[in-house]
Amino acid sequence: MIDKPFSQACENNKRPILDILTRVFAHTQHVLEVGSGSGQHAVFFAQNLAHLTWQTSDLAINHAGINKWLDESPVTNVHRPMVLDLNENWPTPPPHRQVDAVYTANTLHIISWPLVVKFFKGIAKNLATKANVCIYGPFKYHGEFTSVSNASFDQWLKGRDHHSGIRDIEAILLLANSAGLSLIHDHVMPANNQLLVFSKN
Ligand SMILES: C[S@@+](CC[C@H](N)C(=O)[O-])C[C@H]1O[C@@H](n2cnc3c(N)ncnc32)[C@H](O)[C@@H]1O
């Protein structure tokens, strides 16, 4: 028996993120979430976006926690987590559930840069034209942090794992571009975060 994982950050950011996803995913059918973490976002967004299905994914170590959130929620449009390790090929969804959007939050500053590159290679390989990609988290602009607290957070991340760190938006946009993504909007979010919305060409 495990305790249900809880992220205060997810509680704080879920409504501002939902406000944007409601518009971006208005015509979306099947979302794949990369790095679902606790599973809180999946349950909340699926509850509030009842027209779509939400596929959770993460490293296997996080599946028990995500399943616990699903066990205790009445939502019927969230799929149990798949193993999606960015070091490996992405799992293939069943033909009737072709993913037409990808969502990921607070992952690109945790995973190593080679894995960020693989994330975008996965997008290039697995997403069809017109699919949307939403990426939430902190970024640097022109080499500068957007706040003093983000600079401290970056130091803390690197102290914990020197492969982690807040990414330069310019480098992310180059990778996105090479994956066939066009930036539609860079939303400024509370707590010095951004929500990047892309469309696949
Ligand atoms: C800071 S957590 C973010 C979780 C959640 N999305 C949120 O906003 O709270 C980073 C996530 O990246 C996932 N992650 C780390 N390495 C990964 C990998 N190689 N492939 C896929 N996900 C990975 C972790 O398991 C974790 O769920």
Side-chain angles (χ1 to χ4, degrees), residues 115-129:
L115 277 195
V116 176
V117 173
K118 284 188 180 173
F119 169 78
F120 283 101
K121 286 197 170 144
I123 296 281
K125 189 170 165 194
N126 294 285
L127 279 196
T129 300

Side-chain angles (χ1 to χ4, degrees), residues 130-193:
K130 293 198 175 145
N132 284 122
V133 177
C134 292
I135 301 176
Y136 176 87
F139 294 97
K140 280 189 283 179
Y141 291 75
H142 308 295
E144 304 283 342
F145 296 101
T146 59
S147 66
V148 173
S149 63
N150 276 7
S152 308
F153 182 46
D154 183 67
Q155 283 301 310
W156 179 82
L157 284 168
K158 287 181 171 134
R160 202 186 57 148
D161 176 355
H162 69 278
H163 296 295
S164 298
I166 294 180
R167 308 299 174 194
D168 288 302
I169 192 80
E170 296 82 5
I172 293 295
L173 294 182
L174 274 178
L175 284 183
N177 202 258
S178 61
L181 296 179
S182 296
L183 183 68
I184 305 296
H185 211 108
D186 175 356
H187 297 272
V188 177
M189 304 298 284
N192 310 304
N193 286 294

Side-chain angles (χ1 to χ4, degrees), residues 64-107:
I66 298 167
N67 278 321
K68 190 101 174 134
W69 272 87
L70 297 187
D71 289 343
E72 294 182 13
S73 162
V75 286
T76 54
N77 57 332
V78 183
H79 294 291
R80 299 274 163 180
M82 301 189 304
V83 175
L84 197 164
D85 180 344
L86 291 164
N87 280 299
E88 313 288 342
N89 287 331
W90 292 21
T92 314
H96 63 284
R97 276 207 264 127
Q98 283 305 315
V99 165
D100 55 357
V102 164
Y103 168 81
T104 195
N106 289 319
T107 47

Side-chain angles (χ1 to χ4, degrees), residues 10 35-37 41 58-59 62 84-86 105-107 110-111 115:
C10 283
S36 296
H41 272 171
D58 210 313
L59 305 178
N62 284 335
L84 197 164
D85 180 344
L86 291 164
N106 289 319
T107 47
I110 298 292
I111 59 177
L115 277 195

